[in-house]
Amino acid sequence: MTHQLTIEPLGAALDVAPGQTLLDAALRHGIYLPHACGHGLCGTCKVQVLAGEVDHGPANPFALMDVEREEGKTLACCATALSDVVIEADVDEDPDAEVIPLRDVTATVARAEMLTPAIRGLWLRMDEPLPFQAGQYVQVHVPGVEGTRAFSIANSPQEVQATGLLELNVRRVPGGAATTWLHERLAPGDRLRLSGPNGRFFVRRSAGKPLIFLAGGSGLSSPRSMILDLLATGWGQPITLVYGQRTRDELYYHEEFVALARRHSHFHYVPCLSHEPDGSGWDGARGFVHEVAKAHFGGQFAGHQAYLCGPPPMIEACLATLIQGRLFERDIHTERFLTAADAASASRSPLFHRI
């Protein structure tokens, strides 16, 4: 039986299908509720139930404690409606956010190639258009693997519209069933199911400030999409990308960014390697992303906006460096993907409370 979900303080009312989570219903109507792991483990999507009854589903007792359940709280990512429901959510209205409803699409693998020894690029031809905002991600249904896996869209909306191909960069996780399948078994011509767009990692253009992108590993996907989109739409403020890998053979899209920096005087590309052997011929920066960013900006980041994407240790180190350099939370934006295993053991940084 279909129930009605009302979301306060928006006053938005929408239908919820049997078994559909409150979060999924909201996203499919273009209403963003804060969320992260999607597994009922991190607590980011916690909402207050003002009226009606819900089934809490597989909410982890540490993310949703018994006392919170008694107070009427629930996790939108795994709660389902047992009656008409009214919830109160921490809805973050942002003037730069595009309202794009979540949808399910199917795609054919048009091309696949190794970008680094551990990262495989996938180019997917969509059966139907999938609008998105640069920086967002899709959830991929991997055959034989429970749940979905999140991957950032690596090309710009303009490129996707022109070519019909959506690009994902998949880092192989040792022992990971999903990424192993995507590396070893997925081939051109195969079909994949996706849902998207997801996420609130996008450029806050209205601030009009110079931009710093700090990325590491396969965390380059979102910043690449955002930077290509900015350059394609005539953004005039300075843009700096500090991108780190361990060694030169892991540094991908290097030549593309070098060429972009030559063509656009306001775009600055600073690649850095943390474990490149001495004498290899690498003449770029050496060290970790936060160290190289600090040196490049002289330890002063005030007046900028920063966008961070990469492994948690990199993000934590960059947050500390940026804050020490007089850049504060309102101008720092980050997104990290939490798997069920990650979320079970992850603790949120005290330096940054929104992801």
mmCIF file of all heavy atoms in Angstrom, residues 34-67:
data_model
loop_
_atom_site.group_PDB
_atom_site.id
_atom_site.type_symbol
_atom_site.label_atom_id
_atom_site.label_comp_id
_atom_site.label_asym_id
_atom_site.label_seq_id
_atom_site.Cartn_x
_atom_site.Cartn_y
_atom_site.Cartn_z
ATOM 1 N N PRO A 34 20.328 14.945 3.600
ATOM 2 C CA PRO A 34 21.722 14.597 3.898
ATOM 3 C C PRO A 34 21.873 13.094 4.115
ATOM 4 O O PRO A 34 21.074 12.475 4.824
ATOM 5 C CB PRO A 34 22.011 15.386 5.180
ATOM 6 C CG PRO A 34 21.055 16.532 5.147
ATOM 7 C CD PRO A 34 19.809 15.984 4.509
ATOM 8 N N HIS A 35 22.889 12.493 3.494
ATOM 9 C CA HIS A 35 23.157 11.071 3.656
ATOM 10 C C HIS A 35 24.593 10.802 3.231
ATOM 11 O O HIS A 35 25.214 11.641 2.581
ATOM 12 C CB HIS A 35 22.182 10.211 2.839
ATOM 13 C CG HIS A 35 22.272 10.430 1.363
ATOM 14 N ND1 HIS A 35 21.721 11.530 0.733
ATOM 15 C CD2 HIS A 35 22.853 9.698 0.381
ATOM 16 C CE1 HIS A 35 21.958 11.463 -0.567
ATOM 17 N NE2 HIS A 35 22.655 10.365 -0.803
ATOM 18 N N ALA A 36 25.096 9.632 3.603
ATOM 19 C CA ALA A 36 26.466 9.282 3.233
ATOM 20 C C ALA A 36 26.573 7.803 2.875
ATOM 21 O O ALA A 36 26.635 7.437 1.713
ATOM 22 C CB ALA A 36 27.439 9.648 4.344
ATOM 23 N N CYS A 37 26.539 6.927 3.879
ATOM 24 C CA CYS A 37 26.883 5.523 3.614
ATOM 25 C C CYS A 37 25.786 4.766 2.884
ATOM 26 O O CYS A 37 26.061 3.870 2.095
ATOM 27 C CB CYS A 37 27.240 4.800 4.913
ATOM 28 S SG CYS A 37 25.808 4.434 5.964
ATOM 29 N N GLY A 38 24.522 5.084 3.149
ATOM 30 C CA GLY A 38 23.414 4.361 2.531
ATOM 31 C C GLY A 38 23.180 2.982 3.102
ATOM 32 O O GLY A 38 22.316 2.242 2.613
ATOM 33 N N HIS A 39 23.908 2.618 4.152
ATOM 34 C CA HIS A 39 23.808 1.286 4.747
ATOM 35 C C HIS A 39 23.215 1.296 6.157
ATOM 36 O O HIS A 39 23.198 0.277 6.822
ATOM 37 C CB HIS A 39 25.193 0.625 4.816
ATOM 38 C CG HIS A 39 25.877 0.493 3.497
ATOM 39 N ND1 HIS A 39 25.449 -0.372 2.519
ATOM 40 C CD2 HIS A 39 26.962 1.129 2.985
ATOM 41 C CE1 HIS A 39 26.252 -0.268 1.469
ATOM 42 N NE2 HIS A 39 27.170 0.632 1.728
ATOM 43 N N GLY A 40 22.799 2.447 6.656
ATOM 44 C CA GLY A 40 22.277 2.528 8.012
ATOM 45 C C GLY A 40 23.346 2.469 9.076
ATOM 46 O O GLY A 40 23.087 2.069 10.211
ATOM 47 N N LEU A 41 24.569 2.890 8.708
ATOM 48 C CA LEU A 41 25.694 2.748 9.630
ATOM 49 C C LEU A 41 26.310 4.069 10.100
ATOM 50 O O LEU A 41 26.914 4.110 11.156
ATOM 51 C CB LEU A 41 26.796 1.901 8.972
ATOM 52 C CG LEU A 41 26.436 0.435 8.713
ATOM 53 C CD1 LEU A 41 27.457 -0.197 7.785
ATOM 54 C CD2 LEU A 41 26.368 -0.327 10.023
ATOM 55 N N CYS A 42 26.163 5.129 9.305
ATOM 56 C CA CYS A 42 26.890 6.355 9.670
ATOM 57 C C CYS A 42 26.029 7.372 10.410
ATOM 58 O O CYS A 42 26.567 8.252 11.079
ATOM 59 C CB CYS A 42 27.498 6.996 8.426
ATOM 60 S SG CYS A 42 26.288 7.747 7.305
ATOM 61 N N GLY A 43 24.707 7.322 10.265
ATOM 62 C CA GLY A 43 23.831 8.231 10.975
ATOM 63 C C GLY A 43 23.637 9.588 10.325
ATOM 64 O O GLY A 43 22.929 10.443 10.860
ATOM 65 N N THR A 44 24.249 9.827 9.164
ATOM 66 C CA THR A 44 24.133 11.130 8.516
ATOM 67 C C THR A 44 22.695 11.455 8.127
ATOM 68 O O THR A 44 22.287 12.619 8.141
ATOM 69 C CB THR A 44 25.028 11.172 7.259
ATOM 70 O OG1 THR A 44 26.368 10.871 7.639
ATOM 71 C CG2 THR A 44 24.996 12.540 6.602
ATOM 72 N N CYS A 45 21.902 10.445 7.776
ATOM 73 C CA CYS A 45 20.542 10.668 7.279
ATOM 74 C C CYS A 45 19.496 10.632 8.394
ATOM 75 O O CYS A 45 18.305 10.427 8.115
ATOM 76 C CB CYS A 45 20.199 9.638 6.203
ATOM 77 S SG CYS A 45 20.122 7.938 6.833
ATOM 78 N N LYS A 46 19.894 10.841 9.623
ATOM 79 C CA LYS A 46 18.954 10.779 10.748
ATOM 80 C C LYS A 46 17.903 11.879 10.654
ATOM 81 O O LYS A 46 18.234 13.042 10.423
ATOM 82 C CB LYS A 46 19.719 10.880 12.062
ATOM 83 C CG LYS A 46 18.919 10.495 13.303
ATOM 84 C CD LYS A 46 19.846 10.492 14.514
ATOM 85 C CE LYS A 46 20.947 9.457 14.367
ATOM 86 N NZ LYS A 46 21.901 9.471 15.497
ATOM 87 N N VAL A 47 16.636 11.505 10.799
ATOM 88 C CA VAL A 47 15.526 12.457 10.746
ATOM 89 C C VAL A 47 14.610 12.224 11.937
ATOM 90 O O VAL A 47 14.657 11.171 12.584
ATOM 91 C CB VAL A 47 14.720 12.322 9.432
ATOM 92 C CG1 VAL A 47 15.585 12.649 8.231
ATOM 93 C CG2 VAL A 47 14.123 10.924 9.295
ATOM 94 N N GLN A 48 13.754 13.214 12.209
ATOM 95 C CA GLN A 48 12.778 13.122 13.289
ATOM 96 C C GLN A 48 11.416 12.770 12.701
ATOM 97 O O GLN A 48 10.938 13.443 11.786
ATOM 98 C CB GLN A 48 12.680 14.451 14.026
ATOM 99 C CG GLN A 48 11.679 14.470 15.167
ATOM 100 C CD GLN A 48 12.156 13.658 16.361
ATOM 101 O OE1 GLN A 48 13.318 13.749 16.770
ATOM 102 N NE2 GLN A 48 11.269 12.849 16.915
ATOM 103 N N VAL A 49 10.791 11.719 13.221
ATOM 104 C CA VAL A 49 9.445 11.351 12.801
ATOM 105 C C VAL A 49 8.455 12.143 13.653
ATOM 106 O O VAL A 49 8.364 11.959 14.859
ATOM 107 C CB VAL A 49 9.203 9.837 12.949
ATOM 108 C CG1 VAL A 49 7.774 9.481 12.520
ATOM 109 C CG2 VAL A 49 10.211 9.044 12.114
ATOM 110 N N LEU A 50 7.711 13.041 13.013
ATOM 111 C CA LEU A 50 6.755 13.888 13.722
ATOM 112 C C LEU A 50 5.385 13.238 13.835
ATOM 113 O O LEU A 50 4.629 13.499 14.780
ATOM 114 C CB LEU A 50 6.624 15.237 13.018
ATOM 115 C CG LEU A 50 7.906 16.070 12.879
ATOM 116 C CD1 LEU A 50 7.626 17.347 12.110
ATOM 117 C CD2 LEU A 50 8.494 16.389 14.245
ATOM 118 N N ALA A 51 5.038 12.413 12.852
ATOM 119 C CA ALA A 51 3.736 11.737 12.857
ATOM 120 C C ALA A 51 3.839 10.483 12.010
ATOM 121 O O ALA A 51 4.620 10.424 11.057
ATOM 122 C CB ALA A 51 2.649 12.659 12.317
ATOM 123 N N GLY A 52 3.043 9.464 12.385
ATOM 124 C CA GLY A 52 3.049 8.210 11.642
ATOM 125 C C GLY A 52 4.031 7.201 12.201
ATOM 126 O O GLY A 52 4.736 7.465 13.187
ATOM 127 N N GLU A 53 4.069 6.039 11.556
ATOM 128 C CA GLU A 53 4.926 4.941 11.999
ATOM 129 C C GLU A 53 5.860 4.495 10.880
ATOM 130 O O GLU A 53 5.481 4.488 9.713
ATOM 131 C CB GLU A 53 4.074 3.749 12.452
ATOM 132 C CG GLU A 53 3.186 4.038 13.651
ATOM 133 C CD GLU A 53 2.431 2.801 14.100
ATOM 134 O OE1 GLU A 53 2.884 1.684 13.771
ATOM 135 O OE2 GLU A 53 1.389 2.947 14.765
ATOM 136 N N VAL A 54 7.068 4.106 11.284
ATOM 137 C CA VAL A 54 8.043 3.599 10.326
ATOM 138 C C VAL A 54 8.643 2.300 10.832
ATOM 139 O O VAL A 54 8.658 2.027 12.040
ATOM 140 C CB VAL A 54 9.185 4.619 10.074
ATOM 141 C CG1 VAL A 54 8.640 5.924 9.528
ATOM 142 C CG2 VAL A 54 10.009 4.851 11.333
ATOM 143 N N ASP A 55 9.134 1.512 9.892
ATOM 144 C CA ASP A 55 9.966 0.348 10.200
ATOM 145 C C ASP A 55 11.405 0.811 10.058
ATOM 146 O O ASP A 55 11.818 1.281 8.988
ATOM 147 C CB ASP A 55 9.650 -0.778 9.215
ATOM 148 C CG ASP A 55 10.460 -2.047 9.476
ATOM 149 O OD1 ASP A 55 11.517 -1.955 10.136
ATOM 150 O OD2 ASP A 55 10.053 -3.115 8.998
ATOM 151 N N HIS A 56 12.188 0.718 11.125
ATOM 152 C CA HIS A 56 13.558 1.235 11.102
ATOM 153 C C HIS A 56 14.472 0.440 10.184
ATOM 154 O O HIS A 56 15.560 0.928 9.838
ATOM 155 C CB HIS A 56 14.153 1.238 12.517
ATOM 156 C CG HIS A 56 13.451 2.168 13.454
ATOM 157 N ND1 HIS A 56 13.463 3.540 13.315
ATOM 158 C CD2 HIS A 56 12.701 1.918 14.568
ATOM 159 C CE1 HIS A 56 12.781 4.104 14.287
ATOM 160 N NE2 HIS A 56 12.297 3.145 15.059
ATOM 161 N N GLY A 57 14.094 -0.755 9.790
ATOM 162 C CA GLY A 57 14.932 -1.549 8.901
ATOM 163 C C GLY A 57 16.254 -1.922 9.552
ATOM 164 O O GLY A 57 16.361 -1.986 10.782
ATOM 165 N N PRO A 58 17.308 -2.141 8.738
ATOM 166 C CA PRO A 58 18.590 -2.606 9.278
ATOM 167 C C PRO A 58 19.464 -1.499 9.839
ATOM 168 O O PRO A 58 20.679 -1.484 9.632
ATOM 169 C CB PRO A 58 19.240 -3.267 8.055
ATOM 170 C CG PRO A 58 18.738 -2.460 6.905
ATOM 171 C CD PRO A 58 17.316 -2.093 7.265
ATOM 172 N N ALA A 59 18.876 -0.554 10.557
ATOM 173 C CA ALA A 59 19.663 0.540 11.143
ATOM 174 C C ALA A 59 20.600 -0.004 12.218
ATOM 175 O O ALA A 59 20.167 -0.705 13.134
ATOM 176 C CB ALA A 59 18.738 1.595 11.728
ATOM 177 N N ASN A 60 21.864 0.350 12.110
ATOM 178 C CA ASN A 60 22.849 -0.086 13.094
ATOM 179 C C ASN A 60 22.533 0.547 14.451
ATOM 180 O O ASN A 60 22.257 1.745 14.530
ATOM 181 C CB ASN A 60 24.253 0.319 12.628
ATOM 182 C CG ASN A 60 25.342 -0.228 13.522
ATOM 183 O OD1 ASN A 60 25.542 0.263 14.628
ATOM 184 N ND2 ASN A 60 26.052 -1.216 13.034
ATOM 185 N N PRO A 61 22.570 -0.220 15.553
ATOM 186 C CA PRO A 61 22.226 0.333 16.875
ATOM 187 C C PRO A 61 23.176 1.423 17.350
ATOM 188 O O PRO A 61 22.824 2.189 18.252
ATOM 189 C CB PRO A 61 22.265 -0.889 17.793
ATOM 190 C CG PRO A 61 23.106 -1.895 17.071
ATOM 191 C CD PRO A 61 22.853 -1.663 15.616
ATOM 192 N N PHE A 62 24.368 1.503 16.762
ATOM 193 C CA PHE A 62 25.284 2.585 17.141
ATOM 194 C C PHE A 62 24.956 3.867 16.379
ATOM 195 O O PHE A 62 25.197 4.967 16.857
ATOM 196 C CB PHE A 62 26.735 2.175 16.879
ATOM 197 C CG PHE A 62 27.208 1.065 17.777
ATOM 198 C CD1 PHE A 62 27.262 -0.245 17.311
ATOM 199 C CD2 PHE A 62 27.572 1.309 19.093
ATOM 200 C CE1 PHE A 62 27.672 -1.279 18.141
ATOM 201 C CE2 PHE A 62 27.988 0.292 19.927
ATOM 202 C CZ PHE A 62 28.042 -1.020 19.446
ATOM 203 N N ALA A 63 24.410 3.717 15.155
ATOM 204 C CA ALA A 63 24.018 4.883 14.369
ATOM 205 C C ALA A 63 22.647 5.399 14.794
ATOM 206 O O ALA A 63 22.365 6.598 14.686
ATOM 207 C CB ALA A 63 24.005 4.536 12.881
ATOM 208 N N LEU A 64 21.788 4.485 15.257
ATOM 209 C CA LEU A 64 20.463 4.859 15.743
ATOM 210 C C LEU A 64 20.248 4.132 17.067
ATOM 211 O O LEU A 64 19.822 2.978 17.102
ATOM 212 C CB LEU A 64 19.380 4.478 14.728
ATOM 213 C CG LEU A 64 17.954 4.902 15.090
ATOM 214 C CD1 LEU A 64 17.819 6.424 15.062
ATOM 215 C CD2 LEU A 64 16.947 4.266 14.148
ATOM 216 N N MET A 65 20.553 4.809 18.149
ATOM 217 C CA MET A 65 20.495 4.181 19.467
ATOM 218 C C MET A 65 19.052 3.990 19.924
ATOM 219 O O MET A 65 18.126 4.646 19.426
ATOM 220 C CB MET A 65 21.277 5.024 20.480
ATOM 221 C CG MET A 65 22.762 5.096 20.169
ATOM 222 S SD MET A 65 23.701 6.041 21.404
ATOM 223 C CE MET A 65 23.120 7.701 21.051
ATOM 224 N N ASP A 66 18.870 3.096 20.908
ATOM 225 C CA ASP A 66 17.525 2.796 21.400
ATOM 226 C C ASP A 66 16.824 4.046 21.916
ATOM 227 O O ASP A 66 15.625 4.243 21.682
ATOM 228 C CB ASP A 66 17.601 1.742 22.519
ATOM 229 C CG ASP A 66 17.963 0.366 21.990
ATOM 230 O OD1 ASP A 66 17.807 0.152 20.763
ATOM 231 O OD2 ASP A 66 18.398 -0.484 22.782
ATOM 232 N N VAL A 67 17.555 4.897 22.614
ATOM 233 C CA VAL A 67 16.939 6.107 23.156
ATOM 234 C C VAL A 67 16.481 7.026 22.030
ATOM 235 O O VAL A 67 15.462 7.718 22.145
ATOM 236 C CB VAL A 67 17.915 6.840 24.111
ATOM 237 C CG1 VAL A 67 19.142 7.345 23.350
ATOM 238 C CG2 VAL A 67 17.211 7.978 24.830
#
